[in-house]
Structures are given as structure tokens and as C-alpha cells.
Amino acid sequence: MTTLLAPGRSTRTARPRRYLMCRPDHFEVVYGINPWMDVSRGTDRDLAVRQWEALRATYLSLGAEVLTLPPRPGLPDMVFAANGGLVIDGRAYGARFHHAERRDEGPAYLAWLAQDVGAGPDRVVEPVAVNEGEGDFLVVGDLVLAGTGFRTDPAAHAEVQEVFGRPVVSLVLVDPRFYHLDTALAVLSDDDIAYYPAAFSPGSQSVLRRLFPDAVLADEADALSLGLNAVSDGRHVVLPTAAAGLAEQLRARDYVPVGVDLSELLKAGGGAKCCTLELRP
Ligand code: ARG
């Protein structure tokens, strides 16, 4: 039997979300730590702020709660809040950045999270191993998918498993353009993902096929517009407008794609998900 859905209708349900973001007041591309960053290209900070404000407004219009932390001068990539930590069950595991240029962001985010998730020694965990927060840790239901290869040390995968008591699945990234897990894989719901297979090692591709045989597979063009750097509430999927093929695949699965334009932040190799740290109660 075929069910025909009216356009714009979806039977999927959204779970209310709470996000942390950081306005790109000090955004610029002054160093190159991934292949997207070309320091000679120039950036338009006002445009970056307007695009970021539009992303924030999009989340609010979808019913999410959005908190912000103050941006700090001298930390141009601080806008990429996903890298600031990992928050599950109201507990925060801090980030420890691979590159010196971003190192001061770790304590800045953790200090903010310590206030938000509440005082108490077990609410906030200082990381030992190098890790870039939700850039390389993505929560799918009870599982945590964890990327390594460019930034996050596999030792951090073991730390996260110990801290949260959730199974952590290590995945190896092999294409430098997709240097964080959240550039190559998007969580759509508690049991559904989309990913770009060629960004992963053969063994990791096989793991993903076993765990998610029905996953959405993105093509290279959609991956290169950072289409997989998407934020889903289980029903609406916020992703770059340019990722048209992926949006079509999502619509066919009954999600509601919501397009955003973050062209300025793309110059630093970031998209919607990079700008967004989920605070899970
Ligand atoms: N320029 C930043 C970096 O290379 C971009 C970070 C993007 N964040 C993310 N979650 N993928 O570190």
C-alpha cells in the first residue's frame, strides 16, 4: 500500500531541542587548519553575523531554545560551538583542541557549560584526550558515533564511553575535506542517519552499513556543500540550501528540509551543525 502525503506534511515528530551558539563577532579566516580555509580570500564579518542570526532565527521558529555564550576576541573559530564539548544527560564533557589556534576555546566553553549544566563535580568533566566535542561525537539514540583521523584522538572515544556509559562506535575519517565527523555524517533521528561513504575508511564504511543499512547516502556534490553538516530535531532538518539532492532524499523519507545559507562560515569549513552544540537534558 502506498501512502501519499500532501506536500509540506510530515508524520515525523520533532523533539524539543536546546542549543548553544556563539555569534561570529570576531570571525575571520586568519589561519588555515583545514582545506577549506584560504587566508587570502577575505571574509565579510557583517554578512557572517547576518547569516548566523538567520540560522538562530530558524531554530527559534522551529521551536528550539537557543542559548548563546559571549564570543572572545582572538578566537575567530569560536562561532563553531559544536566543537565546544559534548552534553548528554545534563553532563558536559569538555573539548581539548588539536590545533593551538583554537586551544583557548576549550576552557571558555567548559566554563560556560559548568554554569549552565549546574555546579557539582560530576556535571562537568575535564577532558584528558584531545577531542573536538560534537564535531567528532554524534549521538544517535543510545549510541555515540565518534570520528577520528584528523582531530579527535581515539583515546577520547574511550573517555566518552566511560564518562557517559554509552556505547561509542569509532569511525575513521580519511578525506581531509571532511576533517570532522559532522562534515560527513548527519543524525536525522534516534535511529536514522545520512552520510557520505567515501569520507570513511573501508572498515568504517562496513560498520556504518551494518548499523544503519537504510541510511541516506549523500553524493559528493551534496557532501561538498557541507549538506551533511545538518541539524535535525527529528522532523525538520536544517541544512545548506545548496544541498538540493540531499534535501530531496530527506523529503522522500518524510523529513522537512529547511534550507539556510552560511556561505561566509563555509570559508572556514563550517556549516549549520558546526555552529550548534546540543544541550541534552
Ligand atoms: N575552522 C574550523 C576548524 O577547522 C571549523 C570547525 C567546524 N566545526 C565543525 N563542527 N565541523 O576547526
Side-chain angles (χ1 to χ4, degrees):
M1 197 186 86
T2 325
T3 314
L4 289 176
L5 289 166
R9 289 275 194 79
S10 163
T11 54
R12 294 196 180 263
T13 39
R15 183 153 36 81
R17 307 285 169 147
R18 195 159 172 256
Y19 301 129
L20 175 62
M21 298 180 74
C22 182
R23 221 164 81 123
D25 288 352
H26 308 289
F27 175 71
E28 55 187 332
V29 176
V30 284
Y31 51 76
I33 56 172
N34 71 51
W36 301 80
M37 301 175 88
D38 173 357
V39 293
S40 67
R41 207 167 153 208
T43 42
D44 180 340
R45 191 175 293 157
D46 291 341
L47 180 55
V49 169
R50 285 201 300 280
Q51 292 177 336
W52 180 93
E53 290 288 3
L55 175 65
R56 184 169 162 271
T58 300
Y59 291 145
L60 293 173
S61 76
L62 296 175
E65 185 186 349
V66 180
L67 305 178
T68 57
L69 86 167
R72 296 213 184 159
L75 296 176
D77 275 338
M78 199 171 167
V79 57
F80 300 118
N83 299 127
L86 173 65
V87 181
I88 306 176
D89 297 331
R91 298 175 66 221
Y93 170 71
R96 204 172 142 201
F97 284 81
H98 175 77
H99 293 103
E101 291 88 338
R102 298 195 65 187
R103 213 148 282 164
D104 290 345
E105 293 182 42
Y109 272 94
L110 199 58
W112 189 93
L113 289 168
Q115 289 178 13
D116 179 69
V117 304
D122 65 327
R123 298 276 91 191
V124 166
V125 181
E126 293 262 3
V128 178
V130 167
N131 82 88
E132 300 201 349
E134 277 206 317
D136 276 321
F137 290 110
L138 294 174
V139 178
V140 195
D142 287 333
L143 279 187
V144 180
L145 303 181
T148 187
F150 298 102
R151 303 288 182 91
T152 296
D153 187 324
H157 298 181
E159 242 175 87
V160 161
Q161 177 159 291
E162 209 48 48
V163 167
F164 295 107
R166 299 210 180 195
V168 173
V169 178
S170 289
L171 300 166
V172 178
L173 297 161
V174 295
D175 181 333
R177 297 171 301 176
F178 307 107
Y179 55 92
H180 276 142
L181 182 63
D182 72 356
T183 62
L185 190 149
V187 178
L188 302 173
S189 74
D190 287 343
D191 56 9
D192 196 14
I193 65 167
Y195 66 100
Y196 175 53
F200 296 91
S201 69
S204 297
Q205 289 184 32
S206 166
V207 167
L208 287 170
R209 274 197 304 273
R210 279 170 196 270
L211 287 175
F212 304 99
D214 302 321
V216 174
L217 301 182
D219 64 20
E220 189 181 29
D222 285 333
L224 278 176
S225 59
L226 284 194
L228 291 163
N229 199 247
V231 176
S232 174
D233 62 13
R235 173 184 167 96
H236 312 97
V237 184
V238 177
L239 81 174
T241 313
L246 182 57
E248 204 39 58
Q249 290 198 71
L250 295 175
R251 217 171 275 119
R253 286 203 179 210
D254 211 15
Y255 292 102
V256 182
V258 180
V260 289
D261 178 12
L262 293 168
S263 59
E264 278 310 297
L265 298 170
L266 191 61
K267 292 178 179 173
K273 171 59 209 166
C274 296
C275 295
T276 315
L277 176 63
E278 184 165 353
L279 305 172
R280 296 179 187 79

